[in-house]
Amino acid sequence: MADMNLMEKIVSLAKRRGFVFPGSEIYGGLAGIYDFGPRGVELLNNIKRVWWAANVYERDNFYGLDSGMFKNPRVWEASGHTSGFSDPMAECKKCNTRIRVDKVLEAIGVTADEKMSEDEINELFDAHRAEIACSKCGAHDFSRVHKFNLLVKSNLGDFTSEGNEPVYLPGEACQGIYLDFKNIVDSMQPKIPFGVAQIGKAFRNEISPRNFLFRTRELEQADTQLFIKPNENKDAYEQIKKERWAWYLSLGIKEENLRFKQHENLVFYAKDAWDIEYNFPWGFDEIEGIHDRTDYDLSQHMKFSGVDLRYTDPETTEKYIPWILETSMGMGRVFLAVLADAYHEDELGGETRVLLRLSPKIAPVKAMVSPLLKNKPELVEKAREVRAELKKVHPAIAWDDNGNIGKRYRRQDEIGTPFCITIDFDTLGENPDLKDTVTLRHRDSGEQERLTISQVAARIRSSIE
Ligand code: ATP
């Protein structure tokens, strides 16, 4: 069920606690652009690390890549982006609000096929105009539908001279993988099946950026492309679907908030396409696409570049254009799903609290260390020692000596810190039996236990492994 109240709470917490800020805010902002703050960048990098580990380090036949963002303009012709990377747009004649027609139709249960011509989509839109009101002013008076290209243009070199051709910011990050297919084969000598993984930025001139990090104009995609023998797609595709599902569970996302959705309308070259959807505050929506793309991408680049991109089987010397199984996940969307999934309000000690139940693996801060009283130098000194010791386990160990202990705990709960450690007089030996022990407080239960410093270090280590 849609819970937009939850969305407001997440957006507010994200800003208040340094996760995500609106881009260029002091200048009034810039639609569809966000900045990741000090805690957000830690969470984002942790998600990336977990993704990289699962897709590069834990696989013997996968290679990492970081390709240049700007590419020869021919690339976007070969990929079909200059001609076909568009969304259908109409404008409210009363208030000039632009709508994305396929999404507005989808909301009333009507599917607009990506392959439709401009005339066809106008016909479909005309049949439903009466049901569609402008989200801003409520009018039912929209312009004709136009196909609006999403590529963002730029210039390189001497852009004052005539005839200088524009270059494009990447509409999707994965093109770099196709362009370096031959380089990877030549330099790494991989045997098919092998894959390439990349996290890269993409830019889309989205008609209506919305839902916080869900639809932005600058985004980051984590992609894998598995190169396989022609027609050996079926089992490998099922395997990938299983692995991607398991990956979300490994992030701590609740299984009931995930589902698979198969595409009804496939592009002509595709064999199959599924999305993994997450139950966002407004309902289930796409987080990642898993695509069975045949040999389309490499064939196109072979045709447009004139370079032979066929793979030679080292044993049989057979030459063929590999087929591709692709996964493409939006980082911003996973980040938002992680926040929405972790957000909880509960009661602890008779008080309502907000907490993020983040998996310790991705939490921006792993533990917070605190002296019981900040005006007792002996407690502060010992607490600093403990922190230095725990930093050997992980560098993201915070310090907080402000306000009472309860307030310190609440602040950490709100940013998802799994453990809080308090140093008191018993730690110093006031009670000799407890010397060199500390209080470890657990975020989710609020429970506390007395442990030695090395036991605490072991707890933190095992929670993030
Ligand atoms: P949509 O239908 O929502 O526009 P798409 O099908 O065009 O998405 P793809 O081109 O398959 O998306 O991109 C792969 C992934 O990149 C998506 O699953 C999504 O997670 C992410 N993504 C795409 N567009 C955006 C955007 N504007 N903002 C944030 N993430 C995006």
Side-chain angles (χ1 to χ4, degrees):
M1 235 220 322
D3 183 358
M4 293 317 280
N5 191 20
L6 170 62
M7 189 66 173
E8 280 161 29
K9 287 176 178 175
I10 292 169
V11 175
S12 155
L13 182 143
K15 184 169 176 215
R16 201 172 64 246
R17 293 291 177 216
F19 284 89
V20 183
F21 307 129
S24 316
E25 195 182 14
I26 61 168
Y27 285 93
L30 186 63
I33 308 290
Y34 291 91
D35 300 337
F36 289 92
R39 285 175 181 136
V41 69
E42 294 297 329
L43 177 57
L44 185 70
N45 285 342
N46 292 342
I47 297 173
K48 287 182 190 175
R49 260 193 290 274
V50 175
W51 185 89
W52 195 263
N55 288 287
V56 182
Y57 300 145
E58 288 160 24
R59 293 171 151 169
D60 287 333
N61 60 340
F62 265 72
Y63 301 87
L65 183 72
D66 188 352
S67 59
M69 266 201 264
F70 284 116
K71 295 176 170 71
N72 187 302
R74 299 289 83 69
V75 170
W76 303 108
E77 285 170 22
S79 67
H81 281 77
T82 39
S83 57
F85 188 48
S86 58
D87 284 333
M89 179 197 72
E91 197 169 296
C92 172
K93 288 187 184 167
K94 292 264 160 25
C95 71
N96 300 328
T97 295
R98 291 168 159 196
I99 59 162
R100 199 173 137 183
V101 173
D102 56 333
K103 293 288 171 196
V104 169
L105 286 171
E106 194 180 288
I108 57 165
V110 178
T111 309
D113 189 336
E114 272 175 43
K115 287 171 280 193
M116 280 180 163
S117 69
E118 210 163 84
D119 282 345
E120 283 166 338
I121 192 140
N122 267 292
E123 212 172 287
L124 187 68
F125 187 56
D126 287 346
H128 295 279
R129 273 176 187 266
E131 299 157 61
I132 298 167
C134 172
S135 59
K136 196 162 169 206
C137 73
H140 289 264
D141 193 7
F142 287 101
S143 69
R144 223 182 112 72
V145 183
H146 292 287
K147 284 204 162 179
F148 181 82
N149 193 289
L150 302 182
L151 277 182
V152 178
K153 264 187 207 162
S154 187
N155 293 93
L156 283 179
D158 179 9
F159 47 84
T160 52
S161 73
E162 251 177 68
N164 185 291
E165 192 179 16
V167 287
Y168 299 96
L169 287 160
E172 58 183 20
C174 64
Q175 287 298 323
I177 300 182
Y178 312 136
L179 304 185
D180 277 325
F181 169 74
K182 191 172 161 13
N183 282 330
I184 289 173
V185 169
D186 292 347
S187 58
M188 310 302 292
Q189 289 93 41
K191 271 176 117 181
I192 273 184
F194 75 91
V196 179
Q198 172 173 250
I199 299 174
K201 287 244 175 171
F203 299 81
R204 299 182 175 188
N205 199 2
E206 293 283 355
I207 295 162
S208 48
R210 66 186 167 88
N211 287 341
F212 194 37
L213 300 173
F214 183 82
R215 190 170 300 287
T216 51
R217 286 181 170 148
E218 177 179 341
L219 54 130
E220 206 160 23
Q221 294 175 315
D223 298 322
T224 64
Q225 312 277 334
L226 180 70
F227 297 95
I228 56 170
K229 269 190 166 174
N231 295 305
E232 293 198 350
N233 50 326
K234 284 255 163 19
D235 292 349
Y237 188 73
E238 289 313 313
Q239 179 65 22
I240 290 173
K241 279 172 63 191
K242 273 197 210 130
E243 285 168 4
R244 293 308 303 142
W245 185 268
W247 184 78
Y248 288 98
L249 301 185
S250 82
L251 273 194
I253 288 183
K254 294 183 209 75
E255 193 157 19
E256 69 261 29
N257 285 334
L258 293 169
R259 75 175 187 198
F260 269 120
K261 189 176 168 200
Q262 190 170 22
H263 285 212
E264 284 167 20
N265 299 304
L266 288 177
V267 278
F268 69 91
Y269 52 81
K271 286 272 183 231
D272 205 355
W274 289 75
D275 292 337
I276 294 183
E277 295 190 331
Y278 177 76
N279 191 9
F280 287 101
W282 59 92
F284 277 96
D285 221 333
E286 175 177 345
I287 194 169
E288 164 162 355
I290 303 175
H291 307 130
D292 185 344
R293 300 180 60 85
T294 67
D295 67 359
Y296 179 75
D297 306 285
L298 289 180
S299 298
Q300 283 294 100
H301 285 303
M302 187 158 154
K303 193 160 100 195
F304 277 70
S305 67
V307 174
D308 188 354
L309 296 179
R310 287 174 304 167
Y311 172 82
T312 308
D313 187 301
E315 270 135 43
T316 63
T317 68
E318 177 198 0
K319 276 179 184 287
Y320 59 85
I321 300 175
W323 284 19
I324 287 176
L325 302 177
E326 169 190 71
T327 68
S328 184
M329 173 186 90
M331 271 295 162
R333 291 190 188 182
V334 187
F335 186 100
L336 178 55
V338 160
L339 281 188
D341 219 73
Y343 187 94
H344 283 85
E345 288 171 13
D346 67 7
E347 265 204 23
L348 193 69
E351 269 181 55
T352 307
R353 66 167 179 163
V354 171
L355 77 159
L356 293 183
R357 289 198 173 132
L358 292 172
S359 155
K361 270 194 278 192
I362 55 172
V365 175
K366 306 304 176 195
M368 182 273 280
V369 176
S370 205
L372 182 65
L373 299 168
K374 73 171 173 186
N375 56 359
K376 296 285 174 201
E378 62 277 35
L379 284 180
V380 173
E381 194 190 331
K382 183 71 186 170
R384 292 223 177 268
E385 259 174 46
V386 171
R387 184 180 182 220
E389 201 49 39
L390 296 179
K391 269 176 169 274
K392 292 179 192 160
V393 178
H394 195 286
I397 307 292
W399 174 266
D400 191 355
D401 56 12
N402 260 326
N404 69 42
I405 282 286
K407 286 215 176 90
R408 298 179 205 169
Y409 289 163
R410 295 292 184 279
R411 279 197 291 270
Q412 297 302 320
D413 290 343
E414 249 194 322
I415 64 162
T417 306
F419 305 111
C420 288
I421 294 124
T422 305
I423 281 73
D424 57 22
F425 292 105
D426 286 340
T427 318
L428 301 178
E430 201 168 281
N431 174 348
D433 291 344
L434 296 177
K435 189 166 163 32
D436 279 330
T437 65
V438 296
T439 304
L440 178 77
R441 185 253 189 194
H442 296 262
R443 174 195 67 202
D444 295 350
S445 61
E447 275 167 20
Q448 305 190 7
E449 52 183 330
R450 199 80 200 179
L451 295 174
T452 64
I453 294 155
S454 60
Q455 282 170 327
V456 169
R459 282 291 174 87
I460 297 173
R461 188 176 296 113
S462 70
S463 78
I464 57 180
E465 268 166 10

